[in-house]
Amino acid sequence: MAQGFDFAFLAEVLIGGLLSGVMYSLVAIGFVLIYKTSGVLNFAQGAQLLFAALTFVSLVERGLPFALALGITFALMVALGLAIERTVLRPLVNQPPITLFMATLGLSYVIEGVAQLVWGTQVHSLELGVADEPIEFAGVLVSTFDLFAAGVAALMVIALSAFFRYTRVGLAFRAVADDTFAALAVGLRLPVIWATVWSAAGVIALVAGLLWGARLGVQFSLSLVVLKALPVLVLGGFDSILGAIVGGLLIGALEKLAEVYLGPYVGGGIESWFAYAAALLFLLVRPGGLFGQRLVERA
Amino acid sequence: MATNTVQRSGHPGHPARWPLWATPVLVLALAYGLVPLVASDYVFDALLIPFLALSLAAVGLNLLTGYAGQLSLGSAAFMAVGVYAAYNFQLRVQGLPLLAAIALGGVAATLVGVVFGLPSLRLRGFYLAVSTLAAQFFVQWALTKFGWFSNDNPSGVIDAPPLAVAGVAFDTPAGRYLFALSVVAVLTALVWRVTRTPTGHHFIAVRDNELAARVIGVPVLRTKLLAFALSSFVIGVAGVLWGFVYLRTVEPAGFNLDRSFQILFIIIIGGLATLRGAFLGAALIVLFPLLLSRLGSLLLGQWFDSGVLELCQRIALGALIVGFLIAEPRGLAALWERLVARCCRRPAAAHGA
Amino acid sequence: MSFVRHLKTAALASAIALTGLQAAQAQTAAAPAKPAQQQEQFFPLQSYRVGPYAAGGTGFFGGFIDYLNLINTRDGGVGGVKLTWAEGETQYEVERGVEVYERLKNRPGIAAWNPLSVGIAYALIDRVTADKVPLITINHGRTDTTDGAVFKYIFPLLVNPYSETSGIVNYLGTKVGGLDKLKGKKIVVLYHGSPYGKETIPIYELLAQKYGFTVQQIEVPHPGNEQQSQWLTIRRAKPDFVVLRGWGVMNPVALKTAQKTGFPVDRIVGNIWSNSEEDVIPAGDAAKGYVAIGSVAPGTQYPVLQDIIKTVYDAGKGNLEDRKRIGTVYHNLGVVNGILNVEAVRIAQAKFGKRTLTGDEVRWGLENLKLDEARVAALGAKGLFHSINVSWDNHEGEGYVAFQQWDGKQWKQVSDWIAPDWKLLRPIIDKSALAYAKEKNIKVRKSIDD
């Protein structure tokens, strides 16, 4: 390497990684919401993301104003979430987690297929009005868009945390997550709770879909971002929002640093598996993730 | 996981007149005797051979996930290890017979499988699943990155060696089918045997309640690693069949996450912890999309282009998976059992048994 | 008694299975023989209209079918022989491509296979050689298949990966004022982490040695959703040019990330699979000014495209759903692919007669596919592509390349047609092909009739 260690570059990679990590957390939070309250690892989150992005972009391209398109997409995502809960999850309520997971996998095929059937298989560009001119602080480059996305994610997290802590519905979620039977005994109506949770997850998918769509362009591979969220979940714990954030930041940073500093020794391209390897090693030390509850896995 | 009693003698609901060995023997007789005479090249090359390769992979994964309860999402990686290892052994060791190369490919997959199975000693459920994903992505990366694995071929794609055992060439579609059939039959028999040994019972014990198993003296660590080892061996050989017998070229992209999911679908839809399930599931996964495509283009080809039909077919597949999981979570094997029981219970009832 | 029952069940199951097999077989059985007056030439299409590359697939196969329709409608076929086709969806997956091949290979009168997929092409090489039907891999494929002496039935028409690389370097030479001025410059190649991406690494090394520039290869793991680390590394390396050898989503993400990290887009040159509307539209503003290589020009002003619009689309038989996509890069590539396929048939018909041709006869036609600029103009494609000169031992055809720039709305050609350095590349191709022939025990051909 060049003479003297390039700290500015390190800072760049680190900051870029942290900001990427925030984007991962966005997706992971959708997972956490559902896992926390119904124990389902919703692999269809990626398909929902794609559906949201495609719907929004297609509406905008047909001439609808931004706000109206956003509103319609919002409504559709809520409806989708409700539909999923009612048709797929409710009949499978007592099944083992793997069955539920596989059901969400099958569901992702259906949602992807419907999204493309309705809106077509073309690729689209999604502009959110944030120009991605990089800002430079003392020789360190930071992306404007990533900052914007981090801001949005932060807002969403604050909103969610407030929701869980201060509203009745939020408290009900936590009750259900803690002890389903007790919640039932107290009179909370589970179907309503679950329906709300799935709708909320749909909304998160919308936000994540718009941000990721703006980052990558809207096309089929958009649904693959879930593969980035899984190591985040593992690191942070499947049922902790704070874990999703911290995990996301960690994974994003580690991944980028590894690619830049370790990658050249093995020929590069290690980003595809590094996050998983890191999560795995971490798990061997802390099997429940950073903030996750130590689950007793009943087979 | 649903508990699954190990079947001992005969089938439930009948007097023990239909011995357990009779069904497999009948199936093998048909497979060896009848099918090669009536099937066309297309049926061999596009239906039966992939069906056999995928069934074997499912049998292997079932051993790990169905019987031993260790969720693995990285099966395609082990298939890849098997086929690349077999290719390299056969290439670099002069005069190595094909079957030995295949066996060594399986052994290589075993070694990799045990390494990535070590986390199972600490992890369960989805956490374990995500760590098997590490295997999936790492193996794909390594095979693409290091040209040595593909004999420094600039494109990274390797061609399968010709199939010949003891001088007998298997290069016709029917010949390849018989080769694959034999390999699958032998390994399935071996796996079946394993499930009947104490090791097999240990698998089930660990799956059902690990703590209790430990208490009654089951060596849990060894059992789990053994499950990974045996399962990876079988899956590795399945990979060799997929690459050497079916596609006859191999590139790492064919062993991606979608393939791992596909095999997992097969065992879930087929029925966990049943050998029958692996075959039924594979038949469904291989045939169903093709059937839908053909039906679709036959009935609706006039009005819709093939893209629309394909999307509908994808939706139908997803819906089928979900529908199956809702309607019959124990899979096709359970469905089959019910059908057989229903059509054979009547004579038993008639006889007052 | 129960044994008999079981036997009945087994018999029933076998009967069902056999019927199924028969039905499957019937699918592949040859279509009934046509009456003598209507000859047909069949083009099986392993198309992909679903999946991650559907956008390109619908364009390419749409263009191909549009051209076949044009010939049928306007000219009544080739020499009176009607062109027919059937699509089999592959979703860009190798095993589905193989399944479509096995299903359609027994149809009579197959002219050639056109899968537009590296993976499927590789899987078919042995099969088409055994079945003696040509396989066309336009603009891509296995570079050493250019050597027709070894690969009798494989045709990487117009441009193979090595020629493409040489073309890019030649263009970079024009940008710095001469190939000699490349000395001391730094080029980064950002490639897709797959066999396709790695194919040209040795050639860049070779050209770097010849012209004195340094080349650094940086890999982007498939699918290429995240490229931050790669582009930050590029920023630090401060290269003069970045060559983008991408595929699918990697392309728009590369352009967006370049913008994000402040790398000027006019120093990025895209390769032939990073040159379409589908690659730049998702990148929005970040792609304005981006230049990429192409062997087929974009646009609708060419007479053949005007013909297609008039004859096919206005009659409601157009294959693309969205008329705005006529003239896009993939669509035009499909049209040119159609031209090449059809002209090969025409040339073969001149020798063998105006009837349904066998695969081997079409192969002969392809090996005599010489379309000079005059002939290209006569076909209404002047400017759409330059020319092609296939011979029995050169299956690429010495395709010329040109460079196009994206202005935010469409691609515009910004260079003349450039010739790659075929002389430099041919020995490497020959060496590789001979090694393949030795490994597979293939007899090397000595003439077109071998």
Side-chain angles (χ1 to χ4, degrees), chain A residues 180-219:
Chain A
T180 317
F181 282 119
L184 271 174
V186 164
L188 294 175
R189 283 171 30 242
L190 241 39
V192 173
I193 306 277
W194 282 335
T196 324
V197 171
W198 278 86
S199 311
V203 173
I204 294 179
L206 169 61
V207 175
L210 290 183
L211 288 174
W212 275 99
R215 198 171 204 235
L216 300 182
V218 180
Q219 22 76 32

Side-chain angles (χ1 to χ4, degrees), chain A residues 12 125 214-215 219 271, chain C residues 226 229 235 249 256 260 281:
Chain A
E12 248 174 35
S125 153
R215 198 171 204 235
Q219 22 76 32
E271 241 177 291
Chain C
E226 270 298 316
S229 358
R235 198 172 104 90
V249 69
K256 284 204 106 136
K260 200 196 280 281
I281 287 178

Side-chain angles (χ1 to χ4, degrees), chain A residues 17-84:
Chain A
L18 289 172
L19 292 176
S20 286
V22 170
M23 300 281 288
Y24 298 159
S25 309
L26 256 180
V27 183
I29 288 177
F31 277 93
V32 167
L33 205 58
I34 295 186
Y35 189 86
K36 221 167 139 77
T37 44
S38 48
V40 178
L41 188 63
N42 175 27
F43 199 80
Q45 192 78 1
Q48 287 173 283
L49 220 136
L50 175 65
F51 184 77
L54 259 181
T55 308
F56 177 78
V57 130
S58 307
L59 289 174
V60 165
E61 276 177 7
R62 277 160 179 66
L64 265 62
F66 188 98
L68 185 57
L70 194 60
I72 296 180
T73 314
F74 182 95
L76 273 176
M77 291 310 291
V78 168
L80 181 65
L82 290 172
I84 295 176

Side-chain angles (χ1 to χ4, degrees), chain B residues 42 144-145 155 246 259 310, chain C residues 89 99 122 195 198 219:
Chain B
Y42 169 70
T144 316
K145 171 103 322 199
S155 55
Y246 174 41
R259 177 84 50 220
E310 277 303 313
Chain C
E89 178 67 38
E99 188 269 324
Y122 269 93
K198 291 169 28 172
E219 175 176 325

Side-chain angles (χ1 to χ4, degrees), chain C residues 18-225:
Chain C
L18 276 177
T19 325
L21 285 179
Q22 290 295 352
Q25 228 157 292
Q27 285 295 316
T28 70
K34 286 277 163 206
Q37 48 268 45
Q38 184 54 74
Q39 299 276 304
E40 286 182 354
Q41 198 73 49
F42 178 61
F43 289 91
L45 297 176
Q46 292 145 310
S47 57
Y48 39 99
R49 295 177 183 270
V50 171
Y53 311 108
T58 46
F60 175 81
F61 292 101
F64 193 32
I65 293 176
D66 281 342
Y67 189 76
L68 296 180
N69 257 326
L70 176 71
I71 297 293
N72 277 344
T73 316
R74 184 190 67 183
D75 303 344
V78 182
V81 176
K82 260 194 89 111
L83 305 174
T84 60
W85 60 89
E87 280 191 71
E89 178 67 38
T90 66
Q91 296 196 32
Y92 202 76
E93 284 169 22
V94 174
E95 74 252 26
R96 296 197 62 160
V98 170
E99 188 269 324
V100 173
Y101 180 85
E102 295 294 332
R103 181 155 39 89
L104 296 178
K105 73 179 183 184
N106 289 321
R107 294 264 202 112
I110 296 183
W113 294 88
N114 289 277
L116 203 73
S117 149
V118 175
I120 297 178
Y122 269 93
L124 292 186
I125 289 180
D126 283 345
R127 290 173 163 88
V128 297
T129 311
D131 292 337
K132 297 195 179 14
V133 181
L135 171 69
I136 296 176
T137 59
I138 189 170
N139 277 1
H140 70 288
R142 193 183 157 132
T143 312
D144 51 12
T145 59
T146 305
D147 187 356
V150 174
F151 295 94
K152 186 170 175 183
Y153 291 96
I154 323 290
F155 292 84
L157 291 179
L158 272 191
V159 159
N160 66 39
Y162 288 7
S163 298
E164 182 206 330
T165 307
S166 162
I168 291 177
V169 170
N170 287 352
Y171 174 72
L172 292 178
T174 67
K175 280 194 87 158
V176 297
L179 280 167
D180 49 324
K181 303 255 190 346
L182 278 177
K183 196 173 170 65
K185 297 260 185 278
K186 189 163 189 191
I187 299 180
V188 164
V189 178
L190 191 67
Y191 68 95
H192 182 246
S194 68
Y196 145 78
K198 291 169 28 172
E199 172 112 17
T200 52
I201 292 181
I203 293 305
Y204 277 105
E205 295 295 324
L206 190 73
L207 292 169
Q209 266 176 20
K210 176 166 180 185
Y211 295 114
F213 59 84
T214 54
V215 64
Q216 185 182 359
Q217 301 269 354
I218 299 184
E219 175 176 325
V220 172
H222 175 77
N225 278 350

